[in-house]
Amino acid sequence: QRGSRRQLVQLHSSGLDKMESERVRPLVVFDYDWSLINENSDTWVVQRLAPECYDEAFGRGGSALGWTERMDRAMGLLQDGGKTVAEVRCAAASVPFYPEMKEALAYAGDMGCRLIILSDANRIFIEEGLKAMGLDHLFDLDVAQEKRLDSEARQGVILTNEGFEESGRLRIAPFHHNKDCPLCPTNLCKGRVLSDALATRPERSSPILYIGDGGGDFCAAARLEEGDVLLYREGRKWGLQRRLERQGCLPGPENWQKALE
């Protein structure tokens, strides 16, 4: 795995300065949970609809399962408790977010930046959240998960675990089966997905602006190059900062705690 074998390139404010001074339109990559929104969308939905099912879905009984499998199990528990797909979608749409993050994403879209949401959540929850924020028009909601980022694409893409309706309930399935990257969970290697999304371009024509918070973002962060900018969420609980610290490669002052920053 490339990200684990080389030290993360040091990223500095000069990357942001260059984007501003040269009016470069970067590829903007957002994580969803705790970055674009200020919550874990998976646990939010279960707690809103059936808090009594939370321990059964995410407690020790399901600890042998991966997170995506546990979420699929949770959707089954919600159905068994009488919750409809419409209620699940409504709960996903009610997830809290920082207004400043909504403004930042809207601004990036208005400026013509190419957009990616790269997340360990799931497609349905993200789509409902974007619709609630009034930002779904910035993304191609019909594009296939495996579609790579086309250099001519005018809309953003969502790269995340699959979500779909089946027999009156929502099903959650892994984006892919990661067997090679020790840095990432089995359902999603963000580094591999980011590399695949860029693979159709023969060379990097614009820098990447990556906004993330969790340990799952580290593999993608490790693939950033000179001139890219990593905006990592700062604080004890955030896994990306902890992994950066362990590697001795905190990328300078480009961190944030609240979206206003």
Side-chain angles (χ1 to χ4, degrees), residues 8 27 30 39 46 75 100 107 109-110 230 233 251 254 258:
L8 179 65
L27 169 64
F30 273 92
E39 185 54 79
V46 177
M75 294 300 99
E100 295 84 0
Y107 177 78
D110 290 343
L230 173 64
R233 193 165 190 178
E254 287 81 39
K258 296 183 179 180

Side-chain angles (χ1 to χ4, degrees), residues 16 48 124 142 149 167 217:
L16 289 172
R48 290 274 292 184
I124 287 180
D142 297 320
L149 187 65
S167 303
D217 293 304

Side-chain angles (χ1 to χ4, degrees), residues 76-260:
L77 292 173
L78 292 180
Q79 183 193 39
D80 292 344
K83 303 301 181 183
T84 65
V85 170
E87 288 175 301
V88 174
R89 287 181 175 272
C90 185
S94 71
V95 69
F97 59 89
Y98 284 119
E100 295 84 0
M101 279 299 185
K102 173 183 175 180
E103 292 173 12
L105 184 57
Y107 177 78
D110 290 343
M111 291 298 292
C113 298
R114 303 224 312 275
L115 303 173
I116 293 180
I117 292 177
L118 178 53
S119 170
D120 200 12
N122 69 78
R123 175 172 287 269
I124 287 180
F125 288 7
I126 294 175
E127 288 181 357
E128 294 300 331
L130 290 172
K131 291 175 184 177
M133 286 186 271
L135 298 175
D136 53 301
H137 65 283
L138 297 176
F139 294 86
D140 187 347
L141 302 186
D142 297 320
V143 67
Q145 286 276 43
E146 66 273 10
K147 179 180 173 70
R148 295 175 177 178
L149 187 65
D150 190 324
S151 60
E152 300 300 322
R154 295 185 178 181
Q155 288 181 292
V157 293
I158 301 170
L159 302 172
T160 185
N161 299 305
E162 191 56 87
F164 56 95
E165 295 186 28
E166 181 181 84
S167 303
R169 59 160 287 190
L170 291 184
R171 302 304 305 258
I172 310 299
F175 180 89
H176 57 204
H177 296 284
N178 168 39
K179 298 180 180 179
D180 302 317
C181 177
L183 298 175
C184 297
T186 58
N187 62 287
L188 177 64
C189 172
K190 288 190 175 184
R192 171 184 160 190
V193 173
L194 181 61
S195 294
D196 287 348
L198 300 171
T200 56
R201 293 188 293 173
E203 60 181 1
R204 287 275 210 97
S205 57
S206 60
I208 295 173
L209 183 63
Y210 192 105
I211 301 98
D213 64 273
D217 293 304
F218 180 77
C219 183
R223 301 185 187 221
L224 299 181
E225 300 176 358
E226 186 174 0
D228 297 334
V229 174
L230 173 64
L231 300 176
Y232 65 93
R233 193 165 190 178
E234 184 181 37
R236 290 184 178 181
K237 68 181 286 185
W238 307 118
L240 178 55
Q241 180 182 354
R242 293 199 303 270
R243 297 187 81 162
L244 291 169
E245 288 174 342
R246 286 199 296 268
Q247 294 293 320
C249 56
L250 282 178
E254 287 81 39
N255 51 35
W256 61 282
Q257 293 183 346
K258 296 183 179 180
L260 183 61

